[in-house]
Amino acid sequence: MVMTNSANTPQTAATTTAQAHATTTVQAHEHAPRLDFAKSAPKAFKALIGFDAAAREGLDPALVELIQIRASLLNGCAYCLHMHTSDARKAGEDEARLHMIGVWREARSFFTAKEQAALALTESVTLVSRGGVPDDVYAEAARHFDAPELARVLALIFTINTWNRIALSTAKVAGEDER
């Protein structure tokens, strides 16, 4: 048990940890505005928009959103998660499927085999430092997508991971869609 200095109120280590996290979270949101990436690096930003558009070309829009949502969940990007779940809803995505993306392996009946292969590939590429892209994950994706389509799925995974890193690095605020 830990005693606080202010009121000598007993606290558990978990409570103290939770308070420290809350303080860190508040401090993280109270910083000065960060740079506007689009304005500060317009050529890079436009190139990424072009890459993103090329990646999406010919892919099922529902699959595009599933991939973007899963990567954003894995990367902890609230800005992109809010944006892509909103886009998916506007496009008519089923609310139950949106709730199951984070636990898709336990909720396989919500997703087609092709979607499951794309979600597994998204996880492997997004978490590439944890063991690369396993051969079985790649092979399963290759069974469901022809070579050009698989290349666009990979490109889409690359772009959403880049967008996530831009949003997190520049402290984009969820709910403030700047498109």
Side-chain angles (χ1 to χ4, degrees), residues 7-23:
N8 286 338
T9 309
Q11 293 184 329
T12 64
T15 303
T16 304
T17 302
Q19 287 174 335
H21 175 70
T23 302

Side-chain angles (χ1 to χ4, degrees), residues 23-171:
T23 302
T24 303
T25 302
V26 169
Q27 289 170 347
H29 294 296
E30 291 178 354
H31 57 73
R34 293 185 181 177
L35 83 105
D36 181 328
F37 185 80
K39 289 180 182 173
S40 299
K43 286 184 179 180
F45 187 76
K46 287 178 185 173
L48 185 55
I49 288 173
F51 186 47
D52 187 89
R56 295 165 182 262
E57 193 172 298
L59 294 178
D60 174 13
L63 180 68
V64 167
E65 295 305 332
L66 291 177
I67 289 169
Q68 293 179 124
I69 291 166
R70 186 63 187 132
S72 297
L73 280 166
L74 292 168
N75 287 321
C77 184
Y79 179 82
C80 294
L81 182 60
H82 182 268
M83 179 187 301
H84 294 295
T85 55
S86 295
D87 288 350
R89 284 182 186 98
K90 287 177 191 170
E93 181 60 76
D94 182 64
E95 197 68 30
R97 282 170 38 102
L98 292 177
H99 291 291
M100 294 297 142
I101 294 171
V103 293
W104 69 269
R105 290 179 193 281
E106 291 78 32
R108 290 181 182 269
S109 65
F110 285 82
F111 304 99
T112 67
K114 186 174 187 174
E115 291 168 338
Q116 291 175 44
L119 290 168
L121 186 62
T122 299
E123 289 178 359
S124 292
V125 173
T126 300
L127 304 173
V128 70
S129 68
R130 295 186 185 173
V133 178
D135 289 340
D136 62 327
V137 170
Y138 185 87
E140 185 63 18
R143 281 180 2 112
H144 294 281
F145 299 97
D146 63 25
E149 193 176 29
L150 181 57
R152 290 191 310 276
V153 167
L154 284 166
L156 180 68
I157 297 166
F158 303 156
T159 61
I160 188 56
N161 276 281
T162 301
W163 288 124
N164 289 164
R165 282 151 178 76
I166 291 169
L168 289 164
S169 300
T170 60

